[in-house]
Each structure stands twice: as structure tokens, then as C-alpha cells.
Amino acid sequence: MSSTGQESSNANGNDSKKFKGDIRGPSLPSRVIHIRKLPNDITETEVISLGLPFGDITNLLLLKAKNQAFLEMNSEEAAQNMVGYYSTMMPVIRHQPVYVQFSNHKELKTDNSPNQERAQAALRALSSSHVDTPVAAPSTVLRVVVENLLYPVTLDALCQIFSKFGTVLRIIIFTKNNQFQALLQYSDGSSAQASKLSLDGQNIYNGCCTLRISFSKLTSLNVKYNNEKSRDFTRPELPSGESQPAMEHPAMAAAFTPGIISAAPYAGATHAFPPAFTIQPAGLTVPALPGALASLALPTAARLGFPVIPAGHSVLLISNLNPEVRKYFCVYGDVMRVKILFNKKENALVQMSDSTQAQIAMSHLNGQRLHGKPLRITLSKHTSVQLPREGHEDQGLTKDFSSSPLHRFKKPGSKNYSNIFPPSATLHLSNIPPSVVEDDLKRLFSSSGAAVKAFKFFQKDHKMALIQMGSVEEAIDCLIQFHNHDLGENHHLRVSFSKSSI
């Protein structure tokens, strides 16, 4: 059926039973967008602001009694961008998720009823000025600083948090003055205002990653690439630049996979989402925030296809391993116990201190090559590694490291959390005694058969140095061999991966 003047006269709901909305999800693109599950007190301006970032709107039909609306965009391309964006970032108006899809109608025909006149007036007012910022907010762009960064925070995690308050159009993340920062643009100023009021001073994870939010002097963000550092949700066709493979299909649903927003809570946080939180196929909506912003699935893990580890699970099953695997894993968390499997000695269970550390280790190490074989890491069904009962020795296959003095992450807020990097050819060395010189360390690392490409002491602190190996695999091997190596004078060498190269 086509949209008629009669349908539009039902916009106030008096005869809305005559109107049969697009109940079935249509598959063909159309300039007309069907919006469902709107709040009862929705206004024309709010409906228009959903579409305005994507292009000009040529018509509007609001059916308040049915909690539905139709927007006619000026082009099919604008409509496709809008539906694509909202398929991955579900809009939320007054805590209510709103559904956006193509309409079966190809155009809207409306009459001159009072309701329709009001809709047209709102359309004229907003479209002519083409500003989507109410006067109340100084800008639609927020500057976000994350302090006390103990766990990695990604662009996807920020989108997940901030899209609760409105439509996030563009986002850029960067490091400035040694601080993790982001610029984030909403479609309207009231969303920016609301998120600033609610989120400023909140912690993303329990006790750390604190958000400091201010209005930016910028009025708009110019994004050139869609990748893990910047994204323009209104332009899914943008190239990815150098940092990751190009996105395959310009259709937005493919460009930003819903997998980025995972249904499982991020297990490291002690405040989880209340049980009432709901996941739609397209995204995440949550009721009022708890004390900490709580559980976000680690986006890297979701993007790489790892299962997100539920709270209470910290045991990983490792295949193709080296017996000294503990030293490798302890870069990403505190290893409590290791059990080599009796029938398959190249497999082991590794119990980390908590599920957050297990997730970080899995996301960094799965697939990395060690002695020519890729490590395979999955979540074990066991929630802990059991020690053998007294009198039941297991030939030393189970080792308990829970009281080891070498744990790097035991102290809450340890600065080691901010030095977690993926495996790289350059290693960071620390705890070097004054008597040990460059040649001593080069000789030590060469003794493994690896090639030392470069070496550099830190200018201000000779207790630390960088050493560059011939390959990532050689660096991994050296880390396993030489982490905790006794350098004399009661100094045990600390080895971790570096983000720098020499």
C-alpha cells in the first residue's frame, strides 16, 4: 500500500488503527525510513534530528499513538547511510531503544492537517538552518580524557558508552601529553550535554580509567579514515588507511560488525550491568548506569573473534606451548598455576589471577608463533587449576605460582598495566644493576642464538634499556629465557615487550 494523505491525517493517532505500518522488516532500500518504538512524548524535532546528520529531509510523518514515524530523505544514498549507521549504533531516546529500517513506501504523501503543518514547520526550521545543536550546549563535540588508564580503552568501547546518550557521528582517539584522549561528535548538542553530565568523573572499569569530559572548541570533526583510531559513522565508504585491511563492502552493517559490541560483560569489572540490560542484534542499551560504567567486552577480543571471558573464569587452554610458557603469559597478568596435560604434553592449562588478565593474555598471544608453531589459546571449561591431592604426585606437571614474588600486577593500580603491549621485536629491560654494561646484555641475549639488532640505555635511567631482536619470534624466545634472569647484586632482570623501536 502507498502512503496517502489519509494515513498522514492519522498522525495524531485518532484513527491510527487504519494505518498499517511496516511491521515486517523490508529488504529493499528506499528514501523513506520507518522508525519504531519511539517514546510517547516524542517530538517532531527529535525525529528529524535522527535523520539530519545523513542529509536533507524532504518529508516527515509522525504517528504518536503508534510510537512510529516516517522520514523521507532527499536521496536513497542518505537513507542507506542512516539505516546502516543505526544498524550498528542503535539510537536511544530517553533510555528507550529505537528501531530504524527502510520503509516499504517509496515516498511520503502528506496532507495539510494541523499535525502535518506542525511537522512541516519543524522540518523547515531545522532544515533551513541545518544546525543540529540546540543553543543550550556550546558544541556537539566533546573532548574526553581517560585518566588512570590501567586497562586498554578502545574507540569501540567509547562508542559503546557514549552512544547510550545519543547518536555518535564521528570519533577520533589519540595520545597527547602522555594521556589517552578522544574527540567525539554527537548529532545534537543536547546529547553531548547529557553525556557530559552523566559520564564526567565516572570510571569505565572499577577503580580506574576515569573519564574527564569537556566541550571542545571544535564545531565538527573531519575524519578521513575508518579504522581503530578514527571513524565517521555517516560515511562508511571511507578507506581504512594504513592501520588495518580495507573494509570490504560499503554497506554499513558490514562495515562495522555488530560483534564489536559483545553481549557478555567485561569480566574484569566488579560492577556488572544490572540483569535488566538487553542486547539487540545491532547494539547495546542499558538502564541507568551503576557506580562504575562497568562491564564492557574487551573490543579487541571481540574484533579478533575471541569469546569474551565471563567473570570467575580465568583458566586458558594452550596448545603448541613451550614448558616455560608462564614467563610469556606473565607479561599480560599474574600466572597463578600451570598444569601440563598428562596425555598431551604440548598442551597446558594456565590459570591467570582473574578473568580480565586471561582476556588480555588471550587477545595478545593467540596465534603468535613460538618455535615455528602458532600458539592456540581457548577458554578452558575449568574455572581453576586443581593442585594434586597430598600423596598423589603428578610428576611435577602442576605448578603453583600463587605466592611468587615476581608477579607484576599484584598491587592495585600497578603502573605495569599501562605498559601492556603486543609482542614486538623490541624488548624493554628493567632492574639492571649499575655494574652491568651494554656488552653484557648483548652477549646474554645473543647466547640464545638470536640476533641483536640494536641496543639503547635510557638516558635518564641506566636501570632500563631497549634491545631490538631480529624478529618478533626471537624476541618472544628471549623474553621467555631471560625474564627474571639473575644479573647478580640481587637484581633479577625484568623483560617485557616495548611499543618503541630503536
Side-chain angles (χ1 to χ4, degrees):
M1 107 184 166
S2 67
S3 267
T4 65
Q6 182 194 11
E7 286 161 8
S8 62
S9 68
N10 299 332
N12 64 359
N14 294 340
D15 293 315
S16 60
K17 60 183 180 291
K18 293 178 190 169
F19 179 77
K20 293 184 179 70
D22 294 320
I23 303 306
R24 300 275 162 235
S27 53
L28 291 174
S30 158
R31 282 195 309 140
V32 181
I33 306 285
H34 180 208
I35 305 167
R36 299 181 294 120
K37 301 278 179 84
L38 290 163
N40 293 329
D41 57 349
I42 190 76
T43 65
E44 287 85 357
T45 306
E46 286 173 315
V47 174
I48 293 164
S49 73
L50 287 174
L52 208 51
F54 304 92
D56 287 329
I57 298 162
T58 47
N59 211 344
L60 163 68
L61 174 61
L62 180 58
L63 302 169
K64 268 196 174 178
K66 285 197 168 287
N67 304 93
Q68 296 184 22
F70 288 82
L71 274 185
E72 183 184 270
M73 305 301 289
N74 66 337
S75 70
E76 200 171 283
E77 185 191 11
Q80 279 183 311
N81 284 346
M82 180 176 170
V83 170
Y85 171 78
Y86 290 128
S87 73
T88 60
M89 283 288 171
M90 181 175 280
V92 178
I93 299 176
R94 286 188 282 294
H95 306 294
Q96 196 165 318
V98 173
Y99 296 80
V100 177
Q101 64 191 63
F102 291 117
S103 168
N104 292 322
H105 309 310
K106 293 298 173 195
E107 62 174 342
L108 281 182
K109 293 176 183 166
T110 50
D111 62 13
N112 299 322
S113 68
N115 288 311
Q116 202 47 42
E117 277 175 19
R118 192 169 66 240
Q120 294 302 319
L123 208 48
R124 278 193 302 276
L126 281 168
S127 298
S128 57
S129 61
H130 211 88
V131 283
D132 30 15
T133 315
V135 268
S139 171
T140 56
V141 180
L142 295 176
R143 177 172 165 266
V144 180
V145 176
V146 183
E147 294 177 351
N148 197 14
L149 190 75
L150 299 192
Y151 292 115
V153 173
T154 62
L155 180 146
D156 300 313
L158 290 176
C159 284
Q160 196 173 12
I161 295 163
F162 281 83
S163 60
K164 179 183 185 300
F165 297 90
T167 304
V168 176
L169 300 184
R170 299 170 191 92
I171 183 167
I172 300 167
I173 62 171
F174 55 95
T175 303
K176 186 179 175 185
N177 304 332
N178 286 329
Q179 282 184 314
F180 178 94
Q181 301 195 21
L183 289 167
L184 183 138
Q185 183 181 354
Y186 277 108
S187 62
D188 62 286
S190 55
S191 298
Q193 189 88 279
S195 70
K196 181 180 180 298
L197 284 170
S198 297
L199 298 179
D200 189 26
Q202 292 271 14
N203 295 328
I204 298 177
Y205 304 126
N206 192 40
C208 66
C209 300
T210 309
L211 293 169
R212 300 285 175 224
I213 303 170
S214 56
F215 283 108
S216 168
K217 294 191 178 87
L218 298 170
T219 52
S220 184
L221 297 180
N222 180 22
V223 172
K224 292 177 181 169
Y225 301 110
N226 283 332
N227 56 37
E228 73 278 5
K229 297 283 184 200
S230 62
R231 209 164 292 171
D232 186 336
F233 292 102
T234 67
R235 298 184 63 205
E237 77 287 353
L238 286 176
S240 64
E242 293 299 307
S243 54
Q244 61 182 39
M247 293 169 177
E248 289 164 19
H249 196 280
M252 318 74 222
F256 305 112
T257 51
I260 283 167
I261 294 173
S262 168
Y266 184 68
T270 53
H271 298 269
F273 283 126
F277 87 100
T278 56
I279 303 287
Q280 308 304 337
L284 173 63
T285 57
V286 297
L289 287 165
L293 295 182
S295 37
L296 291 169
L298 190 71
T300 5
R303 193 164 54 242
L304 295 170
F306 297 126
V308 174
I309 296 181
H313 285 259
S314 57
V315 181
L316 300 171
L317 172 63
I318 325 295
S319 314
N320 295 338
L321 59 70
N322 169 296
E324 281 295 300
V325 72
R326 177 182 75 94
K327 286 189 183 174
Y328 190 15
F329 277 71
C330 71
V331 174
Y332 299 105
D334 294 332
V335 175
M336 296 289 117
R337 290 175 185 170
V338 175
K339 184 185 187 74
I340 308 287
L341 300 192
F342 182 75
N343 294 324
K344 294 184 87 177
K345 298 283 194 299
E346 73 282 5
N347 289 8
L349 295 173
V350 174
Q351 181 179 341
M352 305 299 286
S353 163
D354 61 34
S355 48
T356 303
Q357 292 179 4
Q359 181 78 73
I360 290 170
M362 190 183 344
S363 65
H364 281 88
L365 300 182
N366 188 52
Q368 288 289 347
R369 297 187 81 76
L370 191 55
H371 302 305
K373 291 179 180 174
L375 272 184
R376 291 281 166 254
I377 305 176
T378 54
L379 178 62
S380 167
K381 62 184 180 193
H382 302 286
T383 53
S384 66
V385 170
Q386 297 298 319
L387 292 174
R389 292 197 304 280
E390 235 175 297
H392 292 73
E393 291 312 311
D394 66 352
Q395 302 164 9
L397 294 176
T398 307
K399 291 197 163 64
D400 184 11
F401 302 102
S402 52
S403 54
S404 164
L406 303 175
H407 289 161
R408 304 182 191 211
F409 303 94
K410 208 159 42 178
K411 280 189 214 149
S414 161
K415 67 176 187 301
N416 290 324
Y417 277 111
S418 54
N419 293 320
I420 290 177
F421 302 111
S424 64
T426 306
L427 296 170
H428 180 275
L429 313 180
S430 60
N431 205 31
I432 303 166
S435 61
V436 172
V437 295
E438 180 175 331
D439 280 348
D440 297 329
L441 290 163
K442 280 181 169 175
R443 223 179 1 259
L444 176 67
F445 278 75
S446 302
S447 69
S448 67
V452 175
K453 296 283 188 189
F455 182 93
K456 186 174 82 177
F457 271 114
F458 279 57
Q459 245 179 334
K460 291 180 183 167
D461 186 355
H462 269 231
K463 290 182 198 152
M464 294 195 287
L466 295 177
I467 189 164
Q468 191 170 333
M469 311 311 295
S471 67
V472 174
E473 199 168 341
E474 282 187 356
I476 292 169
D477 203 28
C478 285
L479 181 142
I480 289 170
Q481 279 196 56
F482 302 123
H483 174 63
N484 198 37
H485 182 82
D486 189 352
L487 292 173
E489 301 175 46
N490 206 18
H491 282 66
H492 286 79
L493 184 64
R494 299 270 180 272
V495 185
S496 55
F497 296 111
S498 172
K499 65 175 176 183
S500 315
S501 53
I502 304 170

